[in-house]
Amino acid sequence: RPDSHSTRHAQIRRIQPDRSAPFRAEHGPPSRRVMKAESAHRCLAWSIGLLGAAVRLRQFFSGRSLWLDEVWVGFNLQKRSWTGLFGTLDHDQVAPPGFLVLEKIAISVLGGGEYGLRAVPLLISLVTIPVAYLTVKRMVGKTAGLIVLALVSVNAQLIYYSAEAKQYSLDVLSCFVILAVTHPLLNDETRRRDWFIAGLTGEIGRA
């Protein structure tokens, strides 16, 4: 009879497994364990980054006297005009013009003492910490990002040069920025504009 036939089909449909259930479970909201792992990862990254910032600030405010090369950099900044920063420096000093412009802005605001001359390297070094972490995290993964974050944060040389009126902190930041910009070019779907941006970034890093 038609009614009994429809009833049997309805019962069969009810007892058949829902094949879409695994798909929904796989693509549904993250589990509590995953959310805890993400939260722990963020807390660890913030802790390491803040530690790196703290040791740099401690180095900056330690009161270490300027050494000879820093004095000569300051001499060039105070003696030269803005356009003169793009020429050959006196006393065998070499520095990118872009860095010198930032330094001249800093000493015009903070004065030509230790804090004024070292403010720009400090800010650059502080920016390097998250840039290094995010760049490596994007390129390799979260674990590699944490490892690089820890290395950058507590590296003794990077901490020392974060409070020195030389361009070494800018060199480190430029490397990570160039990596961040050129990483998409490793994909197959690259465009001419991407290569232009990568080349422009490299030239800015040299400046």
Side-chain angles (χ1 to χ4, degrees), residues 3-203:
D3 293 341
S4 61
H5 182 72
S6 300
T7 302
R8 284 197 299 272
H9 274 284
Q11 292 174 348
I12 292 174
R13 283 197 298 270
R14 282 198 299 269
I15 64 176
Q16 285 180 342
D18 187 0
R19 299 182 182 275
S20 64
F23 180 83
R24 288 200 302 267
E26 181 180 353
H27 296 273
S31 64
R32 185 173 299 178
R33 180 179 299 178
V34 173
M35 294 177 64
K36 286 184 177 180
E38 290 286 342
S39 178
H41 178 90
R42 285 194 298 269
C43 290
L44 182 59
W46 273 101
S47 300
I48 297 173
L50 290 175
L51 174 63
V55 294
R56 280 160 174 77
L57 290 172
R58 180 178 180 273
Q59 178 75 8
F60 180 77
F61 290 109
S62 63
R64 180 170 58 89
S65 300
L66 296 171
W67 72 295
L68 186 59
D69 273 3
E70 292 179 289
V71 172
W72 290 138
V73 169
F75 177 81
N76 280 277
L77 291 171
Q78 294 180 354
K79 176 185 176 182
R80 292 171 175 268
S81 63
W82 293 92
T83 56
L85 300 176
F86 293 83
T88 303
L89 301 180
D90 297 326
H91 304 289
D92 299 323
Q93 294 301 304
V94 178
F99 173 78
L100 294 175
V101 169
L102 294 176
E103 282 280 87
K104 195 170 182 66
I105 294 173
I107 66 172
S108 65
V109 175
L110 302 175
E114 292 91 343
Y115 293 151
L117 286 170
R118 292 169 175 169
V120 171
L122 172 67
L123 292 177
I124 293 174
S125 186
L126 291 174
V127 172
T128 301
I129 296 174
V131 170
Y133 166 67
L134 294 174
T135 299
V136 177
K137 178 184 174 183
R138 178 186 177 190
M139 294 180 62
V140 184
K142 296 179 181 179
T143 303
L146 283 178
I147 293 173
V148 170
L149 176 62
L151 292 175
V152 170
S153 296
V154 302
N155 183 277
Q157 294 297 320
L158 297 184
I159 294 170
Y160 179 84
Y161 289 124
S162 68
E164 183 166 313
K166 298 291 287 184
Q167 70 275 12
Y168 307 131
S169 295
L170 181 61
D171 294 338
V172 178
L173 177 61
S174 299
C175 290
F176 283 109
V177 171
I178 291 172
L179 282 175
V181 173
T182 57
H183 176 249
L185 302 181
L186 299 176
N187 300 327
D188 294 332
E189 299 177 358
T190 57
R191 295 173 294 183
R192 188 173 300 176
R193 186 185 66 178
D194 298 328
W195 286 105
F196 173 77
I197 294 175
L200 181 62
T201 304
E203 290 301 317

